[in-house]
Amino acid sequence: PVPGKVSEVPDELREQVICRKFNIVDRVWKAPTSVTLPRVPAVSEDAMLPENAWMRLPHIAVNGMTNCGKSTLINHILRWTYAAKASSVPGRTKSIDFYCINNRFVLVDLPGYPDPEELAHQGVLKKWEAHWQDLVLTYLQMCADGEYDLRLMLQLQATQRRPSLSCRRFVKEMKEKELPLLLVLTKDDQLKKPNEER
């Protein structure tokens, strides 16, 4: 490989991480509150591999405003229609869900944050402020402290909407904690004039 240049991932390696035909997806943990987030136990060098070895695998997390297409993206990536439940109802994801994928990495599905300016999101806003905000911020802090090995946060943004105040706050939090972030634009099929609006 050329220094400073990103090389293509070999097909055989890619297939070991995400298979095009079939993936072993195991929902290993559901954390509805910050105190229920899994804590990685210490393991001595001579210990056998524990049952909770998945906790030491690298994380890829998916985040975004409620109804921005997180579940659809997760299901598409995993080639599995029902890994995450897609819904048009705001606030469907009420916990941080941890999925162990092919015993290679952990996909983390974060609850969507609301848009305070949207009337339909007002009920979700109360739940976010009361429970989910602390849950998500605690997860981010645990990643920043090295308790979890977060390799990438996929930050979803619907193309037909401007980034909300909540979105900008979240991105700022990620930058302050120096966590890896990738912006993913979604729902461009809902644009009235796709070529112009993109």
Side-chain angles (χ1 to χ4, degrees):
V2 178
K5 185 177 179 183
V6 178
S7 58
E8 285 289 318
V9 177
D11 286 341
E12 59 274 6
L13 180 59
R14 186 182 298 131
E15 284 291 314
Q16 291 175 12
V17 178
I18 292 286
C19 184
R20 290 185 184 131
K21 294 180 181 176
F22 179 78
N23 291 289
I24 300 169
V25 179
D26 187 12
R27 185 177 178 188
V28 288
W29 200 277
K30 179 178 183 172
T33 63
S34 58
V35 296
T36 59
L37 283 166
R39 297 321 199 244
V40 181
V43 175
S44 60
E45 290 182 16
D46 58 345
M48 296 202 41
L49 197 64
E51 288 182 18
N52 54 15
W54 66 269
M55 291 185 189
R56 291 175 177 76
L57 292 173
H59 285 198
I60 296 176
V62 182
N63 184 59
M65 188 184 299
T66 185
N67 290 113
C68 69
K70 293 194 312 312
S71 298
T72 302
L73 177 71
I74 289 170
N75 293 336
H76 178 75
I77 289 171
L78 299 179
R79 315 280 200 268
W80 193 12
T81 312
Y82 304 107
K85 292 180 182 176
S87 172
S88 59
V89 179
R92 180 68 186 255
T93 305
K94 299 177 180 175
S95 59
I96 293 182
D97 296 327
F98 294 78
Y99 299 91
C100 184
I101 312 300
N102 298 330
N103 290 318
R104 293 286 182 168
F105 70 99
V106 176
L107 187 67
V108 183
D109 184 12
L110 302 177
Y113 50 80
D115 182 352
E117 297 170 13
E118 280 286 325
L119 187 60
H121 290 193
Q122 292 308 305
V124 180
L125 181 60
K126 292 175 184 175
K127 291 176 184 174
W128 174 261
E129 291 174 343
H131 304 291
W132 302 334
Q133 181 172 261
D134 175 60
L135 171 63
V136 171
L137 293 179
T138 301
Y139 172 77
L140 293 182
Q141 189 59 54
M142 291 174 75
C143 292
D145 292 342
E147 294 183 57
Y148 297 134
D149 181 12
L150 179 66
R151 300 290 177 90
L152 185 62
M153 174 71 72
L154 298 174
Q155 175 65 34
L156 274 59
Q157 172 66 43
T159 52
Q160 75 272 32
R161 304 178 61 102
R162 290 182 179 267
S164 68
L165 180 61
S166 301
C167 176
R168 293 193 299 270
R169 280 183 187 153
F170 185 86
V171 170
K172 184 180 178 210
E173 190 79 27
M174 290 287 295
K175 286 182 178 179
E176 287 174 358
K177 295 184 185 316
E178 298 181 349
L179 295 170
L181 181 71
L182 177 68
L183 177 64
V184 178
L185 298 176
T186 62
K187 301 195 174 187
D188 66 339
D189 59 319
Q190 295 179 10
L191 296 174
K192 292 178 183 175
K193 297 179 180 178
N195 291 335
E196 295 173 23
E197 294 181 56
R198 278 192 195 115

